[in-house]
Amino acid sequence: MEKQIHIIGSGFSALSAACYLAQAGCNVEVLEKNELIGGRARQLKKDGFTFDMGPTWYWMPDVFEKFFADFGKKPSDYYELEKLGPAYKAYFEDGEALTIPGTLKEIYELFEREEAGSSKHLKAFLKSAKFNYDVSINDLVYKPGVSPLELVTPTTISKITQFFSSIRTQVRKDIKSPKLIEILEFPVLFLGAKPSNTPAFYNFMNYADFGLGTWHPKGGMHKVIEAMELLAKSLGVSFKTNANVESIEVDATKNIKGLTVNGEFIPSTLILSGADYHHTETLLPQSHRQYSEKYWDKKVFAPSSLLFYVGLDKKLKNVCHHTLFFDTDFDTHAKTIYDNPSWPEEPLFYASFPSITDDTFAPEHQEAATFLIPLAPDLEDTPELREKYFNIIIKRLEKLTGQNVTDHILFKESFCVNDFKKDYNSYKGNAYGLANILTQTAFLRPKIKSKKVKNLYFTGQLTVPGPGVPPALISGKIASDLILKNDN
């Protein structure tokens, strides 16, 4: 009998799973509560400007290629990809900036200029990072997180010390320049944890950064969503937007019966949720939930964010497509996220100016700007706080880049903790899921397959393999593989 599968949510992991399940012959329908497909990767369009509301970094292009290749396609069949050079720019506490080039040769030269002898250490570091990347991408991250034995291979045994040492320890062993240290510790922020709590094995993110480079799909990250939607539809997947799932119905034998969507019951054979894991379980009766409120409250979450989408009536100078503002103390800001949840006094922030690279983002001679401040989840979120922090970062931007920005703002929109909760049912308004620390890695993350309800599965950033767009694509494949395996 053909399986009738309903997928809750339409982010990267949900779309990935939809494609694989449809390819295997399942009847798949995707239910999205919002008006647009894409989950966190929606776009905002206003007055001729375009903004990626969620992810803006295109890293690990091989994972995207691998996904599309599984369907006999290539990314270039759907969107145009450009490697950024420079990759990004970072401002530091002394007001100086480093611009990270687009090639390894130039990166080695930059390191050597900043700290004599550092390029030799960087080469050794990246050799280890590439090895870990190959091990991870070709093997570990595609495991379903069912058993600890998944992680036990001759390679991982030989690298066991890297799971009990941190990125911070590894980076600071040989590199002394504070600026180079911050650049090397930056990529693990995509994993949602402090460098001091991230296992050294995750240095493969540095290979993703320097070795594989930073890319940009013309039209933005939402173009990848559009590509996956097109692919899914070509495989027979159907989509329903403005479809709010209000409950998941289970029969007396703990089998899925169906869902209640906008007040209407829809029968279903199997449900895969790409929505927030905690929220999905609240759609079930208490007795059918695997994880208690206490369980979730004790977990270490990746940050939430305060985001601003700003239209400017002029082009900016002294910034890159991706620009990082490390001009305040990193550890002090990190403590307000992970140790003592509070609004930071002097926040680090990130800015994206995609219209520097891509003229589809803004009208001619104008600039589309996205600003992001990482925050602890579940903070108080008010219009007054948003305005206060917008003024803080704009003043810093003006001072560091030597230009007036305030008088050239045409409009701004904001998105913060309350919006993550409202639009995505995000637990405590987190933006990136569970942090990838040792105690929340692989089999220690919430399970893909429900232990309490038959034919209920999960995918996305709260289960394996973890936060980020490439891991989300992989999570969809893992979930679909497990569904198909259990069905045979």
Side-chain angles (χ1 to χ4, degrees):
M1 187 179 100
E2 186 184 64
K3 261 196 182 308
Q4 174 59 61
I5 296 177
H6 285 92
I7 297 180
I8 305 173
S10 65
F12 284 105
S13 59
L15 292 177
S16 169
C19 290
Y20 285 111
L21 291 167
Q23 184 187 48
C26 300
N27 185 4
V28 181
E29 182 170 52
V30 173
L31 304 169
E32 169 56 53
K33 77 182 282 285
N34 293 308
E35 190 177 345
L36 295 174
I37 296 296
R40 284 165 166 77
R42 295 180 297 162
Q43 276 190 333
L44 168 67
K45 291 182 182 289
K46 181 172 180 175
D47 299 343
F49 291 84
T50 299
F51 305 89
D52 277 320
M53 295 185 69
T56 55
W57 293 79
Y58 192 105
W59 270 10
M60 301 164 69
D62 52 322
V63 174
F64 295 85
E65 289 164 10
K66 195 170 184 178
F67 168 77
F68 285 108
D70 283 342
F71 304 93
K73 300 289 185 180
K74 304 186 295 294
S76 59
D77 292 332
Y78 298 98
Y79 52 87
E80 183 184 333
L81 205 54
E82 176 183 351
K83 188 176 185 183
L84 297 182
Y88 53 91
K89 185 171 195 158
Y91 280 93
F92 299 94
E93 288 189 68
D94 62 4
E96 297 296 316
L98 286 182
T99 300
I100 307 303
T103 69
L104 259 178
K105 179 178 179 292
E106 292 172 297
I107 290 169
Y108 291 138
E109 290 169 355
L110 171 69
F111 267 61
E112 199 60 30
R113 285 195 302 273
E114 184 64 24
E115 180 184 331
S118 64
S119 63
K120 173 188 168 187
H121 299 307
L122 179 61
K123 285 173 185 174
F125 179 73
L126 288 181
K127 183 178 179 183
S128 163
K130 183 182 186 306
F131 182 86
N132 290 347
Y133 185 88
D134 291 340
V135 169
S136 300
I137 294 303
N138 295 324
D139 190 10
L140 296 183
V141 294
Y142 285 91
K143 301 294 187 185
V146 173
S147 162
L149 295 178
E150 294 169 1
L151 298 181
V152 181
T153 70
T155 302
T156 55
I157 290 171
S158 72
K159 295 277 186 179
I160 193 69
T161 57
Q162 289 194 18
F163 287 95
F164 296 98
S165 175
S166 72
I167 284 282
R168 169 155 288 191
T169 302
Q170 189 181 52
V171 164
R172 295 175 183 229
K173 179 183 170 189
D174 296 310
I175 303 289
K176 304 306 174 192
S177 161
K179 292 176 185 173
L180 298 184
I181 286 170
E182 290 208 49
I183 291 295
L184 287 171
E185 290 182 349
F186 146 68
V188 301
L189 298 180
F190 286 96
L191 302 172
K194 292 192 290 187
S196 57
N197 288 341
T198 303
F201 186 79
Y202 284 107
N203 68 6
F204 63 73
M205 291 298 292
N206 293 100
Y207 177 71
D209 178 0
F210 289 167
L212 298 175
T214 303
W215 300 74
H216 172 72
K218 183 160 188 180
M221 290 297 288
H222 192 71
K223 286 296 176 187
V224 186
I225 291 289
E226 291 176 6
M228 296 177 75
E229 182 185 3
L230 274 174
L231 174 61
K233 285 179 175 175
S234 75
L235 294 164
V237 176
S238 60
F239 288 84
K240 190 177 287 185
T241 54
N242 297 309
N244 184 39
V245 178
E246 296 159 349
S247 64
I248 296 172
E249 310 299 329
V250 183
D251 67 20
T253 63
K254 297 183 178 178
N255 256 308
I256 288 291
K257 281 199 306 185
L259 320 90
T260 301
V261 181
N262 298 338
E264 178 189 353
F265 176 75
I266 299 175
S268 186
T269 313
L270 185 147
I271 293 170
L272 169 63
S273 179
D276 181 271
Y277 201 125
H278 168 269
H279 169 73
T280 303
E281 287 220 309
T282 67
L283 303 176
L284 293 162
Q286 189 83 42
S287 59
H288 291 75
R289 300 173 193 174
Q290 303 172 92
Y291 303 109
S292 66
E293 290 298 322
K294 189 175 179 182
Y295 168 90
W296 288 110
D297 194 51
K298 284 186 173 180
K299 288 295 170 188
V300 178
F301 276 81
S304 185
S305 299
L306 169 55
L307 291 135
F308 295 101
Y309 311 106
V310 184
L312 299 166
D313 69 4
K314 71 168 185 177
K315 304 300 287 185
L316 297 188
K317 60 183 183 179
N318 300 326
V319 292
C320 287
H321 183 127
H322 297 295
T323 306
L324 305 164
F325 291 85
F326 293 148
D327 55 308
T328 61
D329 185 68
F330 175 89
D331 289 337
T332 302
H333 187 151
K335 284 175 185 173
T336 68
I337 297 174
Y338 298 104
D339 304 332
N340 178 33
S342 54
W343 281 85
E345 284 188 24
E346 296 185 79
L348 286 81
F349 66 100
Y350 155 70
S352 172
F353 306 100
S355 44
I356 289 174
T357 303
D358 186 342
D359 60 12
T360 67
F361 275 82
E364 192 175 3
H365 307 307
Q366 299 186 349
E367 204 86 272
T370 298
F371 298 95
L372 181 153
I373 302 173
L375 297 172
D378 219 21
L379 292 183
E380 178 189 18
D381 172 14
T382 66
E384 292 77 19
L385 280 165
R386 295 188 190 195
E387 190 65 20
K388 173 186 172 181
Y389 280 86
F390 182 73
N391 291 331
I392 287 172
I393 64 173
I394 291 299
K395 283 176 185 172
R396 295 234 310 270
L397 171 70
E398 290 179 325
K399 181 181 176 183
L400 289 162
T401 63
Q403 63 194 312
N404 180 303
V405 177
T406 304
D407 295 338
H408 296 275
I409 295 172
L410 296 170
F411 64 84
K412 72 174 185 291
E413 302 283 345
S414 63
F415 198 95
C416 197
V417 172
N418 291 346
D419 301 299
F420 280 103
K421 292 177 181 178
K422 178 175 68 74
D423 286 6
Y424 309 130
N425 296 310
S426 172
Y427 181 72
K428 293 186 176 181
N430 82 83
Y432 306 109
L434 281 177
N436 257 354
I437 57 176
L438 184 62
T439 55
Q440 296 179 172
T441 294
F443 65 95
L444 297 172
R445 297 178 77 80
K447 301 300 182 191
I448 281 182
K449 186 178 188 296
S450 173
K451 295 174 285 188
K452 294 281 189 83
V453 179
K454 296 169 192 171
N455 289 332
L456 175 60
Y457 293 80
F458 301 84
T459 187
Q461 58 189 9
L462 291 179
T463 182
V464 292
V469 176
L473 295 178
I474 294 167
S475 185
K477 177 170 173 52
I478 295 170
S480 62
D481 285 347
L482 203 56
I483 288 168
L484 295 170
K485 177 184 173 185
N486 289 336
D487 191 40
N488 293 327

